[in-house]
Amino acid sequence: MAMVVAQHIPFSEFLISSGDRSIFPSIWDFLFVTGIRWISVVAVPLFFFISGYLFFLNTTWGKETYFKKLKKRFWTLCIPLVCWGVPFLVVKYLAWRQGVLNYDFFGDYTAFDFVRDAVLGLQDGPFWFIHGLIIACLLSPILFWLIKKFGIIPVLIFCAWNFYWPVPYKYHFGPEVLLFFSFGAYFSIRQIDFTKFFSAIRIPAILLYFVVVAANIVSVKMGVAHHGDSFGRSLFVLSTLATFFVVGSLVTLLLEKLPKIRMPKVLSDSTFFVYAAHQLLLPFWGVFVLNRLSYETPLSVLAAYVGSIIFAIAACVLLSIVVRKFAPWSVRFLTGGR
């Protein structure tokens, strides 16, 4: 969850009170080229991979199974999407009125737009992941047939597609979702132990990671890579893939060395609250804390970044504890029963 929070920290807003605008690019470039930002961004591919694996795990596919799974996902995905979507949009509107959002998001906003965004998860928040996952689940019979018949080939096609797909994509769904969801599904359908796979590729994955880091350093120094052009897009996708394999390999190594390691219950119970609520809190954190501080050194910017992550997680854990204690009946709707 820390990775999800990390990629939503509003870096540029840290410097509103600073006269030295050169601090932000130097910190950003450092975090980007060394791969620290990729580690946060790779949270989404990892979640899609795990979701695809679990969706098809120990499944004899058929119409009854398909609708049974969709019924379960309705409660675990659709209901939380709506329950969190409405307050998220309200908070976003309040943040926009306070000038936290630096673009006219609600300029021509209508009631229909509000309902659409709340239901479909188009509010440009972390819920895009749930919306993409819902579409992937609806497409699961097609993915099952493709993987069952052609093996890894559909996954490789989705991978190649990622290098040519423009960003952003409509309705928060594109080849990135298909790639990592189907990759997880491939291991599940073919009954392959993905922990052995990540263990086997650990060394090549680490080497690829450092090669990509070097390529990003060169691209930043020469100013040749931009996320919007084909080369920048290809380098970004390659960076994401390299980090995905490295993180998967390191997590597997951790589980091998510490098989009995467990997350504290208070944190595991709060995971969905951290995912869903952190962007409800960050706008206010930005207005009342970040924008009132002075940033004179790169270290102060980095401290604000790390401090924001810690604050968001701690606040969401506290919110989870309060809700579970005083309104336990709401947990089923807010977290889908997690």
Side-chain angles (χ1 to χ4, degrees):
M1 282 297 104
M3 293 189 292
V4 175
V5 175
Q7 63 182 291
H8 292 147
I9 301 298
F11 247 117
S12 58
E13 291 167 12
F14 287 179
L15 298 182
I16 290 177
S17 62
S18 172
D20 186 1
R21 292 278 173 171
S22 64
I23 296 174
F24 170 65
S26 64
I27 290 291
W28 174 264
D29 289 346
F30 171 77
L31 294 175
F32 179 79
V33 301
T34 56
I36 294 176
R37 286 289 290 176
W38 307 336
I39 293 175
S40 67
V41 173
V42 85
V44 171
L46 281 172
F47 290 155
F48 278 122
F49 175 84
I50 294 170
S51 298
Y53 181 82
L54 294 177
F55 189 86
F56 292 96
L57 186 63
N58 300 325
T59 296
T60 303
W61 201 254
K63 183 186 297 185
E64 183 179 349
T65 302
Y66 175 62
F67 286 106
K68 183 178 179 180
K69 285 184 174 290
L70 289 187
K71 181 179 179 180
K72 182 179 179 180
R73 266 58 183 186
F74 175 79
W75 280 103
T76 59
L77 298 177
C78 297
I79 297 299
L81 179 70
V82 174
C83 288
W84 287 99
V86 173
F88 186 91
L89 283 174
V90 171
V91 170
K92 193 166 188 176
Y93 174 76
L94 295 175
W96 172 70
R97 288 294 300 268
Q98 291 295 321
V100 176
L101 300 180
N102 56 8
Y103 57 93
D104 196 13
F105 184 87
F106 292 96
D108 299 316
Y109 217 61
T110 65
F112 173 78
D113 295 327
F114 183 93
V115 174
R116 179 203 62 197
D117 287 356
V119 173
L120 297 182
L122 304 181
Q123 55 275 72
D124 195 26
F127 302 99
W128 81 266
F129 166 80
I130 292 183
H131 185 245
L133 188 55
I134 290 172
I135 298 177
C137 292
L138 291 172
L139 296 176
S140 57
I142 299 174
L143 296 176
F144 179 85
W145 179 82
L146 288 172
I147 293 171
K148 197 74 173 177
K149 186 173 181 63
F150 300 106
I152 195 66
I153 293 177
V155 180
L156 296 177
I157 292 175
F158 295 145
C159 182
W161 191 8
N162 265 271
F163 285 90
Y164 298 99
W165 186 265
V167 176
Y169 37 78
K170 193 175 183 181
Y171 300 124
H172 301 306
F173 187 81
E176 181 187 40
V177 180
L178 290 172
L179 167 60
F180 292 103
F181 186 85
S182 63
F183 194 34
Y186 169 77
F187 283 93
S188 190
I189 294 170
R190 294 282 173 152
Q191 298 182 346
I192 300 172
D193 188 340
F194 68 82
T195 60
K196 293 182 178 179
F197 168 80
F198 280 113
S199 296
I201 68 165
R202 186 172 300 141
I203 301 301
I206 293 174
L207 292 175
L208 176 62
Y209 179 81
F210 284 110
V211 169
V212 172
V213 167
N216 275 280
I217 292 174
V218 172
S219 68
V220 168
K221 291 295 183 181
M222 298 181 63
V224 296
H226 302 281
H227 197 84
D229 60 32
S230 57
F231 177 75
R233 170 63 182 167
S234 297
L235 187 57
F236 176 79
V237 172
L238 186 59
S239 302
T240 302
L241 289 172
T243 312
F244 170 81
F245 289 122
V246 164
V247 172
S249 299
L250 294 179
V251 170
T252 302
L253 178 63
L254 181 64
L255 294 176
E256 290 174 357
K257 300 299 182 182
L258 301 170
K260 295 184 179 181
I261 189 172
R262 294 291 185 274
M263 183 185 297
K265 190 175 187 302
V266 66
L267 292 181
S268 61
D269 288 345
S270 305
T271 299
F272 196 85
F273 275 84
V274 175
Y275 164 77
H278 70 276
Q279 280 205 314
L280 290 170
L281 304 172
L282 286 176
F284 296 101
W285 176 254
V287 170
F288 296 111
V289 179
L290 296 181
N291 294 350
R292 297 175 184 269
L293 299 177
S294 177
Y295 308 98
E296 302 301 333
T297 66
L299 183 60
S300 65
V301 179
L302 192 58
Y305 179 61
V306 175
S308 298
I309 298 173
I310 295 173
F311 159 77
I313 294 176
C316 292
V317 170
L318 179 61
L319 176 63
S320 173
I321 294 172
V322 171
V323 170
R324 290 178 184 277
K325 182 175 179 61
F326 295 102
W329 55 269
S330 66
V331 174
R332 183 189 180 192
F333 303 99
L334 292 174
T335 70
R338 295 175 180 83

